[in-house]
Amino acid sequence: GQYTSSLLPVRLALQGDRAFAPERLRAFEAGARWQLLRRLVAEWTVYRHHYTGLQAFQLPAAPDRLFGFTLPPGVAIPDVPTRIINGRNGRNSGWEAAAHIDLSKRWRVSGFQTEFRTVELPHAAVDPATTFATLSYFPKHQTQIRSSWELTRRWSAELVVQRTGALEAPNLSPVPGWTRADFRLARKLGERCEVSLDGKNQAFAPT
């Protein structure tokens, strides 16, 4: 036989629910923009979002009762009926700072920094012992710097470097952060035609 205390060896047979409804969001945001110098602009934004009725999955009984059993040889893997319900609430909050500067008539630099936090909780009307949701990983912070040049009247170039922090989710090991770079070299062939050489997602080793 085969014994397990995890989700195996069962299949979840997903079922709809007529009471399922779209999630609800209450969003609060505030921001400011400053013209610090003639060629320097800065922005700051803070936000907090509250979600109710996020999608979740409801089992007919607690997992320790459903998944702790032995399957005799030759017995098919059972299907566990699982309803799709509005079973989770969540909130996220954070801030973003951005700036743009024209260092010269042909050279522009911009960038941003974000900080992000998220929390997900069971809906008050459901039993947390029988309800679960798929977990999503989110980076706590991201940083990006973009530099663009007008090399000549017809040639231009752009370089973007972005740092993404470790991706985290409750009760799971984090995914290491990484740094990536994009570049572009372009030449105008006329008013309506341009050719370019692009490199995307040139990633550095995770750290």
Side-chain angles (χ1 to χ4, degrees):
Q2 185 177 17
Y3 175 85
T4 181
S5 59
S6 68
L7 295 181
L8 297 175
V10 298
R11 290 190 297 257
L12 301 181
L14 298 181
Q15 301 175 349
D17 189 331
R18 291 184 178 275
F20 187 77
E23 65 189 46
R24 294 184 178 182
L25 167 64
R26 287 185 300 146
F28 304 90
E29 298 185 5
R33 189 172 189 268
W34 299 274
Q35 185 81 40
L36 301 176
L37 300 171
R38 187 170 62 89
R39 295 184 176 182
L40 175 61
V41 177
E43 298 179 0
W44 176 273
T45 304
V46 293
Y47 61 88
R48 187 177 180 91
H49 298 161
H50 295 262
Y51 297 88
T52 57
L54 295 172
Q55 176 179 284
F57 305 93
Q58 188 172 54
L59 301 169
D64 57 347
R65 295 178 57 189
L66 285 174
F67 306 142
F69 56 83
T70 299
L71 284 179
V75 174
I77 295 177
D79 291 335
V80 176
T82 305
R83 288 195 307 138
I84 302 175
I85 64 171
N86 298 105
R88 306 286 287 185
N89 294 334
R91 66 176 183 266
N92 60 49
S93 59
W95 57 265
E96 178 175 331
H100 175 95
I101 184 171
D102 294 331
L103 295 175
S104 71
K105 292 182 178 180
R106 297 181 177 272
W107 185 14
R108 296 176 296 276
V109 177
S110 61
F112 68 80
Q113 168 76 26
T114 65
E115 295 290 333
F116 180 83
R117 299 292 184 271
T118 183
V119 177
E120 191 168 319
L121 303 169
H123 196 287
V126 302
D127 182 1
T130 61
T131 304
F132 69 96
T134 55
L135 296 176
S136 300
Y137 281 93
F138 296 97
K140 283 189 174 181
H141 61 266
Q142 286 185 310
T143 304
Q144 183 188 97
I145 298 177
R146 180 187 302 268
S147 183
S148 58
W149 301 268
E150 293 182 12
L151 304 176
T152 67
R153 189 171 63 88
R154 294 185 178 272
W155 286 92
S156 62
E158 183 176 75
L159 175 65
V160 180
V161 178
Q162 179 168 312
R163 169 66 185 172
T164 300
L167 305 184
E168 300 183 358
N171 304 318
L172 295 176
S173 299
V175 176
W178 67 91
T179 303
R180 71 176 181 88
D182 301 338
F183 66 86
R184 184 173 190 267
L185 180 64
R187 186 183 191 281
K188 291 183 178 180
L189 300 180
E191 292 297 326
R192 299 184 180 182
C193 183
E194 181 180 85
V195 294
S196 64
L197 174 66
D198 295 78
K200 300 290 186 181
N201 297 322
Q202 307 301 306
F204 298 89
T207 57

